[in-house]
Amino acid sequence: MDLIDYKILSALHENARISMSEMSRAIAMSQPAVTERVRKLEEQGVIRGYRAELAPDKLGKKTSAFVLFKTNNCPDFTRFCEEAPEVVDLYRISGEYNYLMKVLTDTTESLAQFLDSCHPFGFSTTMIVLSTAFEDKSPVPGAME
Amino acid sequence: MDLIDYKILSALHENARISMSEMSRAIAMSQPAVTERVRKLEEQGVIRGYRAELAPDKLGKKTSAFVLFKTNNCPDFTRFCEEAPEVVDLYRISGEYNYLMKVLTDTTESLAQFLDSCHPFGFSTTMIVLSTAFEDKSPVPGAME
DNA sequence: GTTGAAAAAACAGAGGA
DNA sequence: TCCTCTGTTTTTTCAAC
């Protein structure tokens, strides 16, 4: 993992659909070499995958919230969350609460409904997202410019 | 926005590097039609971008945490967070706290350092991520299979 | 929206520094 | 490990329908 790898990761984090050839031009290295490095980064698990970033509100999901949860029924709770389309992220955390999840719903009403459906598993505190300052900043060292 | 658009969004959320031709095979529609739909989805802002999903721990970021923050100095605080490489997400939220941020650091020590550097802006509660059950589930309606 | 042909581009491989 | 060069495959573009 050297500077060139960081450049590759930065480029792919910024635009996952860039071609190997175009990237090779951007970072001044031959296309076969870049392709091989990307292959290795994928193999090592540094690159987990490539995702389109979608706008939830354009899909009708106008409400997003973080929900802190306290439960003593972890396996069932995680299964419940996996199957709930509202829950997009689920983290196990330290502190007063057990879990933190990110939830997307159409409206605040459907958020309330979802929270009701969680009730059997424990209790929660909800923080509605008023605005997103930024999201998904690159974790690559020296990726700021 | 119909079922075909949802299929396109699902496919791109699962693998952003899929070619238009391959996707056209997967969803049984001609390639020019798929390309045109993708172009429109990008134009409408439904697709915000394409990013490689990286493994923070493979980049040395072994500690991740959510930090709740309470400040009365919002503009300066958001600028501070934008410039802090540790902060990858920043949300303004409702409730007792002002902001929620996701933070990536090398170690718990560097997390503590970062929290110290935040201190001038207000006070915080930190929840360390013990494990990630799942992340980035698709927000596309009917994307479960 | 479809098909089909032409053009462009990207990718994979060999050989060598 | 990287580069250049080349052949092949693939994708995209652009017509006409």
Side-chain angles (χ1 to χ4, degrees):
Chain A
M1 288 276 288
D2 58 7
L3 186 64
I4 293 176
D5 283 329
Y6 289 157
K7 284 187 184 174
I8 289 173
L9 294 173
S10 262
L12 286 171
H13 188 263
E14 194 178 290
N15 174 20
R17 285 184 68 79
I18 190 173
S19 71
M20 296 300 119
S21 338
E22 197 181 331
M23 198 154 60
S24 75
R25 283 168 228 139
I27 66 182
M29 175 179 251
S30 76
Q31 173 263 312
V34 171
T35 305
E36 180 61 11
R37 275 170 178 262
V38 170
R39 196 195 61 72
K40 281 183 184 162
L41 289 166
E42 289 170 348
E43 193 183 68
Q44 295 172 317
V46 181
I47 299 173
R48 282 220 199 99
Y50 306 93
R51 301 190 169 298
E53 194 184 307
L54 309 178
D57 59 302
K58 297 283 171 65
L59 292 163
K61 309 292 178 189
K62 306 268 190 192
T63 301
S64 74
F66 285 90
V67 180
L68 286 164
F69 212 89
K70 188 164 189 171
T71 184
N72 49 17
N73 186 357
C74 290
D76 283 7
F77 180 67
T78 60
R79 254 206 76 181
F80 168 80
C81 289
E82 273 164 21
E83 282 164 15
E86 293 90 351
V87 185
V88 292
D89 301 320
L90 182 66
Y91 305 95
R92 188 136 183 205
I93 56 169
S94 70
E96 195 181 334
Y97 290 90
N98 257 184
Y99 286 97
L100 174 64
M101 52 190 172
K102 187 174 182 186
V103 174
L104 298 178
T105 57
D106 291 9
T107 61
T108 50
E109 281 82 8
S110 44
L111 173 59
Q113 271 182 21
F114 168 73
L115 291 172
D116 289 343
S117 73
C118 291
H119 192 253
F121 292 100
F123 66 91
S124 62
T125 301
T126 299
M127 299 163 291
I128 291 187
V129 174
L130 303 174
S131 70
T132 300
F134 56 83
E135 228 174 356
D136 285 318
K137 194 194 284 175
S138 175
V140 180
M144 320 253 300
E145 45 234 86
Chain B
M1 288 276 289
D2 58 7
L3 186 65
I4 292 176
D5 283 328
Y6 290 156
K7 285 187 184 175
I8 289 173
L9 294 174
S10 262
L12 286 172
H13 189 264
E14 195 177 288
N15 174 20
R17 285 184 68 78
I18 190 174
S19 70
M20 296 299 120
S21 342
E22 198 181 331
M23 197 154 59
S24 76
R25 284 167 226 138
I27 66 183
M29 176 181 251
S30 77
Q31 178 267 318
V34 171
T35 304
E36 180 62 10
R37 276 171 179 260
V38 170
R39 196 194 60 72
K40 281 184 184 161
L41 289 166
E42 290 171 348
E43 192 182 68
Q44 295 172 316
V46 181
I47 299 172
R48 283 219 197 100
Y50 305 94
R51 3 198 65 153
E53 195 183 306
L54 309 178
D57 59 303
K58 298 281 172 67
L59 293 164
K61 309 291 177 191
K62 306 266 189 193
T63 301
S64 73
F66 284 90
V67 179
L68 287 163
F69 212 89
K70 188 165 189 172
T71 185
N72 49 17
N73 187 357
C74 292
D76 284 5
F77 180 68
T78 60
R79 255 207 76 180
F80 167 80
C81 290
E82 274 164 21
E83 283 163 16
E86 293 89 351
V87 184
V88 292
D89 301 320
L90 181 67
Y91 305 94
R92 188 138 183 203
I93 56 169
S94 69
E96 195 181 334
Y97 290 90
N98 258 184
Y99 286 97
L100 174 65
M101 52 191 173
K102 187 175 183 187
V103 174
L104 298 178
T105 58
D106 292 7
T107 61
T108 49
E109 282 82 8
S110 45
L111 174 58
Q113 270 182 18
F114 168 73
L115 292 171
D116 289 342
S117 73
C118 291
H119 193 251
F121 293 100
F123 67 90
S124 63
T125 301
T126 300
M127 299 163 291
I128 291 188
V129 174
L130 303 174
S131 70
T132 300
F134 57 83
E135 226 173 357
D136 285 319
K137 193 194 284 175
S138 175
V140 180
M144 321 254 297
E145 43 233 84

